[in-house]
């Protein structure tokens, strides 16, 4: 069983940076592929970035070059470093852990608002 808690969201000005954290509980965290998603009101949930258990990363075009996903298995934590933030990045950000179709978990989300 994996439980996820996101933190680090908040209000930031355009061009600013923010680092999100997702802390996981569970003794097999290191086996999971981790991902960050976001969802703005009225929009579909969007996959932003993933990182496998071995550290292989993938990014959506919308955030490539600006966002960086990383993980620290010793701390059971995955991070999303967000730079050069834009107003269109405003959304609720969610952490996801995936091992199989019956072992997939979501955090509750953390709000990121990019505004002057």
């Amino acid at each position: 069983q994996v439980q996820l808690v996101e933190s680090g969201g908040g209000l930031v000005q355009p061009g600013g940076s923010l680092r999100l954290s997702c802390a996981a509980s569970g003794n097999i965290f290191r086996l999971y592929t981790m991902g960050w998603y976001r969802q703005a009101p009225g929009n579909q949930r969007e996959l932003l970035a993933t990182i496998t258990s071995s550290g292989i990363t993938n990014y959506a075009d919308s955030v490539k070059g600006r966002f960086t996903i990383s993980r620290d298995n010793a701390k059971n934590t995955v991070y999303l470093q967000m730079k050069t933030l834009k107003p269109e990045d405003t959304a609720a950000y969610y952490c996801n852990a995936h091992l199989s179709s019956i072992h997939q978990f979501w955090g509750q989300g953390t709000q990121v608002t990019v505004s002057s």
Side-chain angles (χ1 to χ4, degrees):
Q1 182 70 31
V2 176
Q3 296 180 353
L4 308 173
V5 180
E6 301 99 332
S7 63
L11 176 64
V12 63
Q13 294 185 349
S17 299
L18 211 58
R19 190 191 196 195
L20 306 182
S21 298
C22 174
S25 63
N27 59 358
I28 57 170
F29 167 82
R30 66 186 67 193
L31 301 179
Y32 282 72
T33 292
M34 304 298 298
W36 284 98
Y37 294 70
R38 70 185 178 192
Q39 187 169 25
N43 291 86
Q44 192 171 177
R45 188 165 295 188
E46 176 188 13
L47 174 61
L48 302 176
T50 59
I51 183 167
T52 69
S53 60
S54 61
I56 304 300
T57 60
N58 199 12
Y59 298 92
D61 288 341
S62 60
V63 304
K64 191 174 297 181
R66 298 190 299 123
F67 291 11
T68 302
I69 188 171
S70 62
R71 69 192 295 162
D72 186 338
N73 288 337
K75 297 180 179 179
N76 278 14
T77 302
V78 62
Y79 305 95
L80 186 68
Q81 178 67 57
M82 306 184 294
K83 298 180 178 179
T84 319
L85 284 162
K86 307 172 181 180
E88 51 263 45
D89 294 320
T90 296
Y93 284 70
Y94 297 89
C95 180
N96 172 269
H98 180 268
L99 181 64
S100 72
S101 61
I102 59 173
H103 294 98
Q104 183 170 206
F105 306 94
W106 292 92
Q108 292 300 119
T110 185
Q111 179 67 36
V112 172
T113 302
V114 184
S115 176
S116 298

